[in-house]
Amino acid sequence: MLRYIGKCAARLFISVILFSFLMVVTQNSVWAAGDMVSLELRKAGGTVMYQNRAVTLVLNGQQLPEADMPPIILQDRTYVPLRHVFEAMGAIVDFHDAQRRILIAFGDDLIVMYIGQYHFDLSGVTHQMDVAPQIINDRTMVPVSFVASAMGFDVGWDPATFTVTLTAGGNGALNAPPPGGGNDVPGNGYYGDEFDLTNWAHNQELDFAEMSKDVSPGRIGAMAHAQTVVSSVGTNQESNRFVISATSAITSVDWFILSDGRLVVDIFNAMPEVASNTLNVRGSLVRAVRVGHQIIGANNVARVVFDLEAPIIYSVELSANRRDVVVTLERNIINSLNVAIAGDFAAHGRESIVIDGCISPVVDVFLLDDPLRLVIDVQHSVLGFDLGGYILANSHFVEKVRYGQFDENTVRIVVDLLQNVSFAVEHGGNRTVIQISEPTYRNITFDRVMGAMAITKPHGGFDIGGLVTSDQYLLRRYSVTLPGDFSGFFGYGTYAVRGGLLSGVEIVTRYGLTTFYFNTRQIMAFIITQDEDTIFVRPVPPREKYPFVVFIDPGHGGTDPGAVHGGMREADVNLDVANMVLEILRRDGIVRAYTTRYTDVAVPNAQRAQMANEAAHIFVSIHHNAANGRAHGTETLYAIHNDERGLDFNSHHLAQIFQDNLVDALGSVDRGARYRPRIIVLNQTRIPAVLVEVGFMDNPQEAARIATQEHRRKAAQAIVNSIYEAFEIMR
């Protein structure tokens, strides 16, 4: 195991050689169905060679004509040229190059997307994607399944012909199966993977490949051996040490880090035969480890991909008998911390908190008040020095800097401030600098009587109808974007709000648009009003704005797959049904729905309950059961909270409503509404809450039904009907 004591090993630069056996073709080529598409993809972060079968697009039974940029398959998702496809679907499409913003107007809905961002807003509701729009070969390329589904189209995929079908009038489920996904993609596709942007705290764009450090003893030389089999990937999760084992001697090994946070280890002349293609990891540096098969040149390659949480220090070594590849990951070592004052303050008005590590530290920075302080959480790091726990500063802004090991993976730095400040984060080499300066914001104040931010309208200003809003409630963040660049009027910086529901408002002008980011202390809704001179943005609890609020909770997720049976993961099935529920509720527009997760991520159960308590009238957790392979049927679990004792309507009543509707809709065995007081999401909520167990995944007959979209849609509709019935009673 590698050891670091207050210093770092020298950086070893590695290069990844892209194989030149793929043919480069110009954009003006014709892409016929069934042909192989070979071209050079120019994207953010670099260039990569691509080769795959041509994808055919069929819209409402008619094949779309070819475009100058063909559909391509990246990250198991089909990307299509924006205007070519969506204008053919009848949408009005607008792309603002300076703002990197995509607008798609379809019927009464407006979709707002941004290049490189993993979410889109559909008529004010935020939806998550697992891939992001990209600029590729000077064309705006978007993942077709997410956007088309949001527009109400059914999306189909025929792996035999590589055909995507788009059919109007479908259910528009946001969870529609992604075209081009999974094992249907030929294994000899592009080499080098993608260069997608990864958004960290405050949307810092971090280049993992640039910031990570390879401390391997050297490159592993090749030796001629027979083809081997990669049989397992073992891990000591506490030490972040992974062992990739083969059944015989390994010919050669290559490794590299991609800018989007993946460490790739390629074992040449090898085939993977592992028990599971995905290893969920609970360590501090890696989310998951995935094993797959690639063909590079004439070589079979077993590819092991580590999905990283942050830039890392790492080594890759081969055992003496050449049968084990040992991958060791290390937390960053923070070696120094200081306050820097650059030049004459009167001239510059800027100071810096400078943090040095073995690699550039990844930080989450936020302001707190009462007392006013700037908190810097250095992630996946440990302290490598000790100056007594604090640093005194002779500074215009800073009184004192305190620091310590907040938990085993986080160094916390607290900057005690003498006045309000603006801050910006910069990365370079092995250093991260937090620039502190005098805020330049103006024409914005907090009206304590109204409990609202008061934003003065510029001369010849705008109506609130011209604002674009985005509710990122899972991040406790809400944004209001103005129709233009108003940096000269509002300036920039973070307006810290002392006490109340807001923690601060960031003013940012980027890509020709000025945006106010409202950071909240809990999940909030926002009411925007105006008079002749001022726009008022007031945070309120969601229950104050909306008459009916439900929190939908897809159980499990991320490192917690739940029950696994017959190739199905409970976490995936729960999410599938939950997304159907959310889509029906959004379409109907009667109930405001929130969710604990949009994608396959882990969410602590206590946090799920807390979010529901902050926002909703009722809470619904969606699960699927497993027992002994013979049990079957539907049951709904509940607990009685102290807050609801003696009420006319409580969790027991809610559970019975869900149980009756699900049994009727699915024709399943009625296992009843059951009291379960020890389940965290039930006993820590303070509102009527239920956990529905739709069916048993380990019962062969029931599993066969659960695997079908028809069964899941019936379950989703029954859950929606139960929500409506409950709110009718609670009205």
Side-chain angles (χ1 to χ4, degrees), residues 464-475:
I464 59 175
L467 306 178
V468 176
T469 63
S470 175
D471 188 356
Q472 303 169 46
Y473 59 86
L474 291 178
L475 300 176

Side-chain angles (χ1 to χ4, degrees), residues 24 48 514 568 592 635 637 644 700 709:
V24 179
V48 66
T514 296
M568 289 191 297
R592 175 64 168 110
E635 61 189 33
L637 312 181
E644 60 182 9
Q709 289 294 294

Side-chain angles (χ1 to χ4, degrees), residues 287-361:
R287 290 192 301 275
V289 180
R290 294 174 287 114
V291 182
H293 172 233
Q294 293 283 312
I295 298 177
I296 299 176
N299 277 289
N300 283 317
V301 176
R303 172 167 286 182
V304 183
V305 180
F306 298 81
D307 295 328
L308 303 177
E309 291 282 10
I312 58 169
I313 304 160
Y314 69 98
S315 70
V316 180
E317 300 179 63
L318 188 61
S319 65
N321 64 4
R322 299 186 70 92
R323 292 179 58 169
D324 294 320
V325 178
V326 180
V327 180
T328 306
L329 313 179
E330 292 287 338
R331 292 173 295 177
N332 198 1
I333 309 296
I334 304 305
N335 291 313
S336 68
L337 169 67
N338 64 81
V339 180
I341 303 174
D344 179 12
F345 171 77
H348 299 281
R350 185 176 293 245
E351 299 170 2
S352 304
I353 307 298
V354 182
I355 311 168
D356 285 301
C358 295
I359 56 177
S360 177

Side-chain angles (χ1 to χ4, degrees), residues 68-83:
D68 59 356
M69 177 67 188
I72 55 177
I73 296 172
L74 299 177
Q75 291 180 278
D76 294 345
R77 294 292 183 267
T78 300
Y79 278 78
V80 298
L82 174 68
R83 293 187 186 278

Side-chain angles (χ1 to χ4, degrees), residues 327-605:
V327 180
T328 306
L329 313 179
E330 292 287 338
R331 292 173 295 177
N332 198 1
I333 309 296
I334 304 305
N335 291 313
S336 68
L337 169 67
N338 64 81
V339 180
I341 303 174
D344 179 12
F345 171 77
H348 299 281
R350 185 176 293 245
E351 299 170 2
S352 304
I353 307 298
V354 182
I355 311 168
D356 285 301
C358 295
I359 56 177
S360 177
V362 176
V363 296
D364 183 17
V365 186
F366 52 95
L367 280 165
L368 294 176
D369 52 22
D370 296 329
L372 188 61
R373 58 207 186 276
L374 187 72
V375 178
I376 306 166
D377 278 346
V378 189
Q379 301 168 1
H380 313 292
S381 299
V382 294
L383 277 172
F385 71 95
D386 185 6
L387 298 176
Y390 68 93
I391 302 170
L392 294 175
N394 182 18
S395 160
H396 185 82
F397 297 117
V398 179
E399 175 186 4
K400 182 169 60 176
V401 178
R402 295 175 282 127
Y403 65 89
Q405 193 72 42
F406 181 70
D407 58 36
E408 64 177 355
N409 297 309
T410 308
V411 173
R412 171 160 288 184
I413 300 167
V414 179
V415 183
D416 294 327
L417 296 171
L418 297 169
Q419 66 172 74
N420 206 353
V421 298
S422 290
F423 63 86
V425 179
E426 299 176 0
H427 295 278
N430 66 339
R431 172 170 291 181
T432 296
V433 178
I434 295 90
Q435 298 279 6
I436 301 175
S437 59
E438 196 90 39
T440 68
Y441 55 72
R442 51 193 174 274
N443 296 313
I444 176 174
T445 59
F446 183 66
D447 187 321
R448 293 194 173 276
V449 176
M450 292 185 63
M453 295 303 302
I455 302 172
T456 303
K457 293 181 181 179
H459 178 69
F462 43 81
D463 187 85
I464 59 175
L467 306 178
V468 176
T469 63
S470 175
D471 188 356
Q472 303 169 46
Y473 59 86
L474 291 178
L475 300 176
R476 308 297 193 271
R477 190 175 175 96
Y478 182 84
S479 67
V480 177
T481 299
L482 312 183
D485 183 341
F486 294 94
S487 55
F489 186 78
F490 293 110
Y492 64 91
T494 300
Y495 186 108
V497 180
R498 296 176 178 270
L501 301 173
L502 288 174
S503 60
V505 181
E506 300 172 49
I507 307 173
V508 177
T509 297
R510 187 184 301 137
Y511 310 127
L513 291 175
T514 296
T515 299
F516 295 87
Y517 293 99
F518 295 82
N519 298 310
T520 65
R521 292 185 168 87
Q522 63 184 62
I523 295 176
M524 303 301 301
F526 284 78
I527 297 174
I528 302 178
T529 57
Q530 65 179 347
D531 60 23
E532 185 176 351
D533 303 315
T534 308
I535 292 174
F536 299 97
V537 183
R538 181 166 66 97
V540 296
R543 287 183 289 259
E544 184 175 323
K545 180 177 181 180
Y546 305 106
F548 308 114
V549 184
V550 62
F551 228 111
I552 303 297
D553 172 42
H556 304 286
T559 55
D560 175 16
V564 179
H565 186 77
M568 289 191 297
R569 298 167 71 248
E570 183 193 351
D572 299 335
V573 179
N574 297 342
L575 183 61
D576 198 5
V577 174
N579 282 341
M580 291 180 182
V581 170
L582 293 167
E583 175 59 21
I584 296 171
L585 293 174
R586 184 203 66 80
R587 186 182 64 212
D588 291 352
I590 301 170
V591 170
R592 175 64 168 110
Y594 294 90
T595 184
T596 57
R597 64 182 182 99
Y598 282 110
T599 55
D600 187 26
V601 296
V603 182
N605 287 327

